[in-house]
Amino acid sequence: MSSATVSLYLDPQIRDWVLFPITVVMILVGILRHYVVLLLQSAPKKLPRNAIREQRALIRSQILRATAANSPLPTTYYKAISQHLSQAYANGTYLKDGPPKGDAPASAPPNPLTDPAAMDGMMAGMKTQMVMMVPQMVIMGWINFFFQGFVLIKLPFPLTLGFKSMLQRGVETPDMDVRWVSSLSWYFLNFFGLNGLYRLILGGENSADSSRDMATPFAAAAAPQPGQAQDYNKLFKAERDNLEFSEGLHFWIAKDVDSRILTKYGRLPAK
């Protein structure tokens, strides 16, 4: 019997008692998870004044260099600010621990297992992971226990046989049309497809997206660890060279602005 001659007629109660409940439960669990994650998030700790000053000093130099080609500052002012920052970087004026001593050994980065701030961040990440993973494990177990082998819906568009293993998990029938979707596959379609609805209900920065459960461990592994603190003394030394290079690229955007305006409006002959 070919697959084209096979017809299935679903009981309407499958739609009312299986399809709709799975969809509604996954939506409600995602919304609940979003608010639980918000409750578990602790307020960020305030940085000391010296640490903020250290970061802002580097940003100040980066902004100055970014506007060098079309700078709103005249050349004398630009060079004065650039040389002042360069001298301050050389003296260690903006370092939060003060200027480094010549005979002092290089400070090692703090151990994340002994740093209270790093431990708090690790615990917050673990709690968020648990809130993300446990509901999905419970929902999958619920579907496998109560709705194993159910066929829920038929997609209204044709598909190739390559989608059969993805759409008919738990239903081993080689003659069934590829467009039929099993209960377990419907769970996975909702798992990856409800993000748009969550953005509509909760906004763009929400914690209800289930697809992050798979991406977060890899993102956490690629992210810099809390113990890998930045050495601002080395960053300031590199920034001194960048400032010196940007001085040669400086151009004051208001240079000869009076002549350019008069020429534009025909008060002076064009050169």
Side-chain angles (χ1 to χ4, degrees):
M1 182 182 296
S2 64
S3 60
T5 61
V6 175
S7 298
L8 295 180
Y9 297 94
L10 298 182
D11 191 331
Q13 292 188 0
I14 293 180
R15 175 197 61 198
D16 299 337
W17 298 102
V18 182
L19 178 67
F20 289 166
I22 291 176
T23 306
V24 172
V25 165
M26 292 197 68
I27 294 173
L28 294 179
V29 167
I31 295 175
L32 178 63
R33 180 173 57 187
H34 168 73
Y35 288 107
V36 170
V37 170
L38 291 182
L39 290 175
L40 292 177
Q41 288 178 350
S42 57
K45 294 185 177 180
K46 294 183 178 180
L47 291 174
R49 179 178 179 274
N50 291 339
I52 297 176
R53 181 169 175 258
E54 184 181 56
Q55 296 176 1
R56 296 298 184 269
L58 188 63
I59 296 175
R60 182 184 179 188
S61 174
Q62 293 171 350
I63 294 175
L64 185 69
R65 290 191 295 105
T67 59
N70 292 288
S71 177
L73 300 175
T75 304
T76 52
Y77 290 98
Y78 181 90
K79 288 186 176 181
I81 296 174
S82 177
Q83 292 172 3
H84 169 75
L85 289 174
S86 180
Q87 187 63 34
Y89 293 159
N91 298 334
T93 306
Y94 295 117
L95 294 175
K96 64 179 180 181
D97 297 327
K101 298 180 181 179
D103 55 349
S107 59
N111 188 350
L113 299 179
T114 58
D115 187 6
M119 287 297 296
D120 291 343
M122 294 171 62
M123 289 300 298
M126 292 177 61
K127 290 188 288 186
T128 303
Q129 283 293 313
M130 293 298 295
V131 175
M132 291 286 186
M133 296 174 62
V134 170
Q136 297 303 327
M137 296 171 60
V138 173
I139 293 175
M140 183 180 289
W142 169 60
I143 293 174
N144 278 328
F145 186 80
F146 288 100
F147 309 124
Q148 178 68 29
F150 276 64
V151 177
L152 305 185
I153 192 174
K154 185 177 183 180
L155 299 179
F157 44 84
L159 294 170
T160 62
L161 289 176
F163 290 91
K164 189 174 184 64
S165 60
M166 183 179 68
L167 296 179
Q168 296 177 3
R169 295 199 176 196
V171 182
E172 303 297 334
T173 52
D175 294 332
M176 189 163 59
D177 191 354
V178 143
R179 293 182 293 172
W180 292 102
V181 182
S182 65
S183 57
L184 189 58
S185 295
W186 182 249
Y187 159 78
F188 283 109
L189 290 177
N190 284 275
F191 183 88
F192 292 104
L194 287 177
N195 188 30
L197 181 63
Y198 291 142
R199 285 200 301 265
L200 183 63
I201 298 174
L202 303 171
E205 297 296 330
N206 65 79
S207 303
D209 183 10
S210 301
S211 60
R212 296 178 189 173
D213 300 348
M214 301 179 65
T216 303
F218 300 99
Q225 298 300 320
Q228 299 175 353
Q230 290 183 316
D231 188 350
Y232 276 90
N233 190 22
K234 294 182 179 178
L235 292 177
F236 286 158
K237 290 180 180 179
E239 194 64 24
R240 289 183 61 200
D241 298 334
N242 295 332
L243 284 173
E244 185 178 357
F245 177 75
S246 65
E247 287 184 9
L249 302 176
H250 177 266
F251 175 77
W252 183 29
I253 197 173
K255 183 179 180 181
D256 299 329
V257 64
D258 50 350
S259 301
R260 282 185 283 157
I261 291 177
L262 294 174
T263 303
K264 179 179 179 180
Y265 291 99
R267 300 299 181 179
L268 286 177
K271 296 182 180 179

